[in-house]
Amino acid sequence: MANESTARSYVPIVNFASLSLQNVKREDADEASVQELADQILEAFSTVGFVYLKNTGIQTTEVTNIMQTSRRFFELPREVKRRYAEKDGAGAGYREIGAQTFEADKPEDLRESFDLHLDTPDSVYPEAEVPELMPLTRQFTDRCKELALRVLYLIAVGLKLEDRCFFDKNHFEMESKSFTGIRLLYYPEIKNPSDVKDKQTRCGEHSDWGSITLLFQDDVGGLEIKNVEGKFVEATPVEGTVLVNIADLLQRWTSDRLISAIHRVVRTSRETDSGFPRQSIAFFLNPDNKAVVSPLDGSHKYQSITAEEYIRHKIQTTYI
């Protein structure tokens, strides 16, 4: 895993210490520091669509514990994992290799995942096999939620919205549910290269669907971001950071001022040489299902749509 001095320069690294979960309540943060941080984040999201945040207050040990625990689930026999399979295309649960494809002209993605929403019932968790998973992921999800809301608050400040709590109100202050939650991702070792189909990747080219995504990577790498020239650039994992990106609905809200960048996951020489699987954890912050997303600048660049309508359409077109 790269440190700051060796990381590729395409994705900016921003110090989040002034709004760290460890030290500061959002309402107590120094206004000048908030404005400076908002400007830095808005610049990154307006040009790249991604930013590395350091000193967020989420510790590396927290991420390591989740990855080690979730790996115990993913290493269970296939028939055991299938007991916890997602059932309706939109809910929580396990998805095996072949469950999703982002590119219609290419084979399905070479990865497994376990989705856990904020309101996931206890029955979805593999308590008999990995009892630690439920308390660990629920605590971690709460931490990610708070961090994501602080990022949205900074975006509101950077956009100079009159109501800095606009995004709070459209995410967790309505009465309906949302698709917000955590996704545990596992890219198992490929022991026989001949098992990989032509044009098959770990995760096909796509943009995320909701507001923002927080991504926690291991040191294997493989994530690539499409830049403004249409070329894919490696997003090298940077130790001690959280990688944050804009998703589609926030791009619509801001009339394309913020970029929901296309990205993918490919196999790397490090993965091939190490013989280890790749792991990551994604936290998807999505608006309330009933939130109506329309351009904040009053333009008609996008038609109004509810978050639920948009995300369900995406689910229907990507899951097999």
Side-chain angles (χ1 to χ4, degrees), residues 90-91 117-118 177-182 284-289 307-309 311-312 315:
H117 296 165
L118 290 177
K177 298 179 180 180
S178 77
F179 291 101
T180 292
I182 195 172
F284 299 105
L285 181 67
N286 296 305
D288 185 280
N289 282 347
E308 183 174 22
E309 288 172 329
I311 293 173
R312 285 199 181 276
I315 289 169

Side-chain angles (χ1 to χ4, degrees), residues 173-218:
E173 295 185 14
M174 295 184 175
E175 294 183 359
S176 62
K177 298 179 180 180
S178 77
F179 291 101
T180 292
I182 195 172
R183 176 173 295 166
L184 308 172
L185 289 151
Y186 185 76
Y187 303 79
E189 177 190 359
I190 299 172
K191 297 181 180 179
N192 187 352
S194 63
D195 292 337
V196 180
K197 301 174 185 177
D198 184 43
K199 298 182 179 181
Q200 192 172 31
T201 63
R202 284 304 203 177
C203 183
E205 297 177 22
H206 68 286
S207 58
D208 293 343
W209 304 337
S211 295
I212 60 172
T213 303
L214 311 182
L215 183 68
F216 304 84
Q217 304 184 76
D218 64 10

Side-chain angles (χ1 to χ4, degrees), residues 53 77 151 254 257:
L53 299 181
V151 173
T254 61
R257 181 172 176 183

